[in-house]
Amino acid sequence: MCESAGLSMEEAAARLDKSRSSLFRIEIGESRADVHLVRSMMDLYDCADYDLIEQAREARQPRWYHQYPSVAMGYVDVETEAVAVREFCGLNLPGLLQTEPYVRALFACDSLPRTTKELKDDVTVRLIRKRRLMDEDNPLELAAIVDEAALRRRVGGGEVMRSQLEQLVEAANLPTVTLQVLPLRNGAHSSMDSGFTLLTFPEDYNPEMLYVSYATGALHIEDEAEIQAARLMFDRLRTEALSPNDSTTLIGQLRAEFDDR
């Protein structure tokens, strides 16, 4: 912005009482600017854009997940900024498609001890995340690949699984969701070792990030070569999986099997 006003970064920083590095981070979007600084920059650059002032006000507001400090961040905050998620879940079901009883049953088996409040917050945050799949103003697109073994695992008992599988079929009908199943009958597939998630962001952010969780932590990967490899792996998994229609048919059949148990 400063160059378009005929100023060098050093000149603009001095006149705004900022360091060069600080102003540079603000201009490329890595740091936030308060309303007063935005107004000063607009005056200096002779550029009136009142939408920027509103964006600065909104940026200073705490994000919704800050209400739940006990919930471990590192993924939720990143997903909140994403516009699309591609996820292979390994032997789990996608968190965005889990029902509350299923979530509670999972957490009950988790080795991580939780207080009553921490459990409540974890469940609440997961349910809040799901809303974006139906949000008209800020939708999140989800392409999920699920291993059939995860659909057959009796988490929480028959009633919980029946409800969960019904929820998957309903979610698959949303325009924002594409759900495919890797059938057991096909044997090994391209990602037997672990699941992974690819997140896509708006154009003014870094375009994509690879997220891989493991037993004691998680990795946020921005290396383009690794992201490209994950893209290719996800595309291979999609070809190995059933079509979306055949996937929902299989899920419906598995749901009926839980009626007999």
Side-chain angles (χ1 to χ4, degrees):
M1 288 180 65
C2 60
E3 286 82 359
S4 64
L7 296 169
S8 68
M9 188 67 69
E10 290 80 4
E11 290 171 331
R15 294 175 65 173
L16 292 167
D17 292 321
K18 306 292 290 185
S19 69
R20 184 190 185 284
S21 60
S22 175
L23 181 59
F24 177 74
R25 288 196 299 271
I26 290 169
E27 290 209 359
I28 66 173
E30 287 186 356
S31 298
R32 296 178 182 177
D34 61 31
V35 173
H36 300 296
L37 178 58
V38 170
R39 289 185 185 276
S40 297
M41 292 171 72
M42 289 167 57
D43 290 340
L44 178 62
Y45 301 157
D46 193 23
C47 173
D49 186 345
Y50 295 102
D51 184 52
L52 286 176
I53 295 176
E54 290 304 315
Q55 291 180 32
R57 288 195 180 104
E58 292 177 5
R60 305 304 294 182
Q61 298 298 317
R63 305 307 297 267
W64 65 266
Y65 45 77
H66 291 160
Q67 303 175 50
Y68 307 97
S70 64
V71 176
M73 292 297 118
Y75 179 79
V76 174
D77 50 342
V78 175
E79 183 190 83
T80 299
E81 303 296 338
V83 295
V85 171
R86 284 172 287 175
E87 181 176 8
F88 169 58
C89 314
L91 294 179
N92 296 306
L93 296 182
L96 286 166
L97 302 182
Q98 294 173 4
T99 64
E100 181 174 348
Y102 186 93
V103 173
R104 289 186 177 278
L106 278 182
F107 286 160
C109 298
D110 199 330
S111 59
L112 178 67
R114 288 178 172 85
T115 65
T116 300
K117 183 182 186 307
E118 287 171 341
L119 175 60
K120 180 181 178 182
D121 286 353
D122 275 330
V123 172
T124 300
V125 166
R126 188 159 296 195
L127 297 178
I128 289 174
R129 288 168 52 208
K130 294 173 61 174
R131 296 176 189 170
R132 284 193 61 202
L133 298 175
M134 296 176 285
D135 190 328
E136 294 182 359
D137 297 325
N138 184 30
L140 179 66
E141 295 184 4
L142 172 66
I145 299 175
V146 178
D147 196 306
E148 183 182 341
L151 301 172
R152 291 182 174 277
R153 188 174 299 278
R154 194 181 178 87
V155 175
E159 184 176 350
V160 169
M161 286 305 301
R162 285 194 297 272
S163 175
Q164 176 62 71
L165 296 183
E166 288 170 1
Q167 166 66 21
L168 290 178
V169 173
E170 291 174 7
N173 290 321
L174 293 172
T176 53
V177 175
T178 302
L179 179 62
Q180 293 180 257
V181 176
L182 285 164
L184 288 173
R185 67 172 181 265
N186 287 2
H189 55 71
S190 296
S191 186
M192 296 292 290
D193 292 335
S194 67
F196 61 94
T197 303
L198 280 162
L199 299 106
T200 303
F201 302 94
E203 291 182 1
D204 53 344
Y205 283 73
N206 291 331
E208 279 190 301
M209 187 187 80
L210 171 63
Y211 178 85
V212 181
S213 62
Y214 53 95
T216 58
L219 297 174
H220 297 72
I221 301 169
E222 297 182 358
D223 180 76
E224 179 57 32
E226 294 199 49
I227 290 173
Q228 177 62 17
R231 288 192 202 108
L232 293 173
M233 183 176 293
F234 192 84
D235 289 342
R236 284 199 299 271
L237 288 169
R238 295 188 81 161
T239 63
E240 295 167 1
L242 298 174
S243 70
N245 286 339
D246 289 344
S247 295
T248 54
T249 297
L250 175 59
I251 294 170
Q253 292 170 349
L254 294 177
R255 188 263 181 225
E257 290 183 16
F258 281 104
D259 287 339
D260 301 329
R261 299 182 188 181

